[in-house]
Amino acid sequence: MAAEPGTSEVRRQHRFDQGSLERYLSGRLPGCPRLPAGALAVRQYSSGQSNPTFYLQKGGKAFVLRKKPHGPLLPGAHKVHREYRVQKALFSAGFPVPEPLLYCSDVSIIGTEFYVMQHVQGRIFRDVSLPEVGPAERSALYLAMIETLALLHSFDLQSLGLQGYGRGPGYCKRQVSTWKKQYDAAAHTDIPAMNKLAEWLANNLPPDDNEESLIHGDFRIDNIIFHPTEARVLAVLDWELSTTGHPLADLAYAIQFYFLPTSIKDFGQGTVLGFKGTIETPSCEELVSIYCRCRRISTTLPNLNFFLALSCFKMAGIAQGVYARYLIGNASAENSHEFAKLVEPLAERGLELSKRSSFSSTQHSISGELFHQSRKGQEILLKVKQFMKQHIYPAEKEIIKYYTEHRHAEDKWKKPPLLERLKELAKAEGLWNLFLPDVSGLSQLDYALIAEETGRCLIAPEVFNCHAPDTGNMEVLHMYGTEEQKKEWLEPLLEGKISSCFCMTEPDVASSDATNMQCTIERDGDSYVINGKKWWSSGAGNPNCKVAIVMGKTKNSSASSRYNQHSMIIVPMDTPGLKLIRPLSVFGYMEMRSMEDILRYTSMTCEYLSPI
């Protein structure tokens, strides 16, 4: 079989009777074909530090098996039947988990109990800094992750049928006690920092220790399968530590990589815990804010220091347990011998976090504020403000005067020389294409606050090459264009050498509902025939407009849904058959004719917006 990414041959200490497993699954496992004996292929995932996990393939069908390790185990650990139960309940509720298919408590089959679930094809990121993707996609992936966590914590236990899944109130107290016992049972040497951290946690339990939600217990990005191309969560994995308890324990665990010391992130080239690099976007503050807003709770989290310290304590206990299993020969991780070196620095960082009252990945504290910029976002915003004060505001009246004087001229669309000089200045200052995260390195939040600033002046967005419709068209070309299309159209747009327009709205229909659209796009060999009328195509009158992105319906579409029949196509403005008829006016105005008109329009806009 083709090797499943992240798998290897089954390691010696985890081998089992594959023939026995195949005979058991045949006729019992839904979707598993009845094929001759020996057709079942098995490989082992390198992940899964606790319960060994295997990739099964038979007759083109793929499954995943989770089992207990062989040999002596720590008390209360490796309860795979709980994993099966919670996944069954969540899958039925529509939460993204792999569908659990079969649970087996008969240890005679492969030596331990196990369960089998559906294999989910997608992306798993083993390094939390996500070096494979750009800043925009990384922010979107983390946003999807944190929204999924908030969704998990919103479930009602009774509606899931998980009453009694946990032990009720007192979760934090039990966690401290449980992980202290787990650590003591696995400890190979005395580490004073672990004892001090355990004592502090026991003496500083949060006052709301009776809060109960379904929690994952090990929620982090490398336990998530994302869609192959979209920033969408397909499945949350590894439910061994799930229970009912305080939801902030999950949140703190999910963001703890922002607070780990460099020695942990760099340890073993970052391969032990998956913490290799640093993350500028999104910020820790953004994730906390999004989580709180999704759950409709206050962003003031006074007990976050406790939960971050608890996360360090728990991770240290897990690391100690992995090393203990290495010593007795039944650890799942290939690098399990390295985990002993993580325990002390994790405990020391937990003690440090226990003494802090506010937290930040930069210099902001997590408080009642909703919006927190990254350090780079703050620096760029300051530069934009200074540039506007020094260059744009003083030039605004002169540029508006130029447009007023040329409103009846044949070349009325021509840009004033001063505007072009401002663009060159902005480009030289690095204040160019700020809207595109993969170019600027800014998050959506960073750019939103910058756009708020540039929106104070009519000419500012164009000065920074951040004006519509070019921004939207550049984003489409950046995300979906071929390399040839990017070279021909995206690069000159990013350089400001050409402009573009977007053609969606049509004169004869209410095309704000795109299903009404009449423009058709039909393939003809290696070409396309477009038939339709468009209006309100901003920017089309500019002689520097060299390309349009046109939305239309694909003729003779086989799509079953009326919402799945639209396409967008690149149309050069010199394409034969394209006819530019005339610009349109708004409220009798072709464009802003004078400063007085601009002020009148601004006042009218404010009047309409103020009651909302």
Side-chain angles (χ1 to χ4, degrees), residues 143-158:
L143 173 61
M145 178 194 82
I146 215 71
E147 287 177 339
T148 301
L149 181 62
L151 174 62
L152 174 67
H153 294 161
S154 70
F155 280 114
D156 176 71
L157 292 170
Q158 187 168 355

Side-chain angles (χ1 to χ4, degrees), residues 13-17 20-21 24 50-54 65-73 77-81 102-116 330:
Q13 67 270 33
H14 296 135
R15 290 174 187 165
F16 52 81
D17 188 340
S20 175
L21 174 65
Y24 179 82
S50 183
N51 290 330
T53 308
F54 304 86
L65 181 146
R66 291 263 290 178
K67 65 182 289 293
K68 279 189 174 184
H70 291 288
L73 303 174
H78 313 285
K79 295 183 177 180
V80 294
H81 66 282
L102 178 69
Y103 168 72
C104 176
S105 60
D106 187 351
V107 299
S108 69
I109 306 300
I110 61 172
T112 65
E113 61 183 281
F114 66 90
Y115 73 98
V116 179
N330 68 346

Side-chain angles (χ1 to χ4, degrees), residues 207-434:
D208 56 345
D209 197 16
N210 293 332
E211 187 169 347
E212 282 190 89
S213 296
L214 178 62
I215 59 176
H216 181 274
D218 194 15
F219 196 90
R220 54 191 191 183
I221 205 160
D222 57 331
N223 274 334
I224 293 175
I225 300 177
F226 289 94
H227 187 278
T229 59
E230 301 172 17
R232 178 157 55 90
V233 174
L234 296 184
V236 179
L237 308 175
D238 200 352
W239 292 85
E240 182 193 356
L241 299 179
S242 62
T243 185
T244 58
H246 203 299
L248 290 189
D250 264 353
L251 176 63
Y253 199 78
I255 64 172
Q256 66 178 318
F257 55 83
Y258 285 104
F259 303 95
L260 293 178
T262 304
S263 60
I264 292 290
K265 295 178 181 179
D266 294 341
F267 181 78
Q269 295 75 50
T271 56
V272 177
L273 296 176
F275 303 137
K276 290 184 183 178
T278 57
I279 298 179
E280 292 248 345
T281 55
S283 68
C284 169
E285 295 80 17
E286 285 179 275
L287 294 183
V288 171
S289 173
I290 290 164
Y291 172 85
C292 293
R293 288 183 345 191
C294 287
R295 290 199 61 213
R296 298 179 181 178
I297 62 175
S298 170
T299 53
T300 301
L301 304 175
N303 296 314
L304 191 58
N305 63 330
F306 173 87
F307 290 104
L308 286 168
L310 177 61
S311 291
C312 287
F313 185 66
K314 183 166 78 171
M315 183 173 280
I318 291 172
Q320 185 64 63
V322 171
Y323 183 70
R325 290 196 296 278
Y326 160 75
L327 293 177
I328 61 176
N330 68 346
S332 303
E334 293 177 340
N335 53 2
S336 54
H337 61 285
E338 299 185 74
F339 276 71
K341 301 174 185 177
L342 299 175
V343 180
E344 187 169 15
L346 283 168
E348 289 174 347
R349 176 45 60 97
L351 284 172
E352 180 187 330
L353 291 170
S354 72
K355 299 170 185 176
R356 294 170 62 178
S357 59
S358 64
F359 300 88
S360 173
S361 55
T362 56
Q363 69 263 36
H364 291 295
S365 65
I366 297 173
S367 63
E369 297 179 46
L370 287 178
F371 305 114
H372 303 273
Q373 284 181 289
S374 69
R375 183 175 299 166
K376 183 173 184 179
Q378 295 169 48
E379 293 171 354
I380 296 296
L381 177 58
L382 181 60
K383 287 183 68 176
V384 166
K385 287 181 176 180
Q386 292 171 341
F387 188 94
M388 291 183 65
K389 182 178 180 180
Q390 183 177 355
H391 300 292
I392 293 180
Y393 290 131
E396 184 177 17
K397 287 186 179 180
E398 184 177 339
I399 290 174
I400 291 174
K401 180 182 178 183
Y402 175 93
Y403 281 125
T404 301
E405 292 175 348
H406 288 74
R407 65 184 183 272
H408 297 305
E410 289 186 7
D411 61 348
K412 61 184 175 182
W413 295 99
K414 185 178 178 180
K415 304 293 182 183
L418 178 55
L419 182 61
E420 297 302 322
R421 289 199 298 272
L422 288 174
K423 290 181 182 180
E424 292 303 317
L425 279 174
K427 190 183 293 187
E429 291 286 332
L431 303 175
W432 193 254
N433 296 323
L434 302 176

Side-chain angles (χ1 to χ4, degrees), residues 98-147:
E99 181 181 6
L101 302 172
L102 178 69
Y103 168 72
C104 176
S105 60
D106 187 351
V107 299
S108 69
I109 306 300
I110 61 172
T112 65
E113 61 183 281
F114 66 90
Y115 73 98
V116 179
M117 56 188 145
Q118 196 68 259
H119 175 261
V120 177
Q121 189 68 45
R123 294 180 291 173
I124 298 179
F125 298 97
R126 298 300 181 192
D127 180 352
V128 298
S129 64
L130 276 56
E132 308 96 318
V133 303
E137 188 174 5
R138 182 170 63 244
S139 291
L141 290 164
Y142 268 102
L143 173 61
M145 178 194 82
I146 215 71
E147 287 177 339

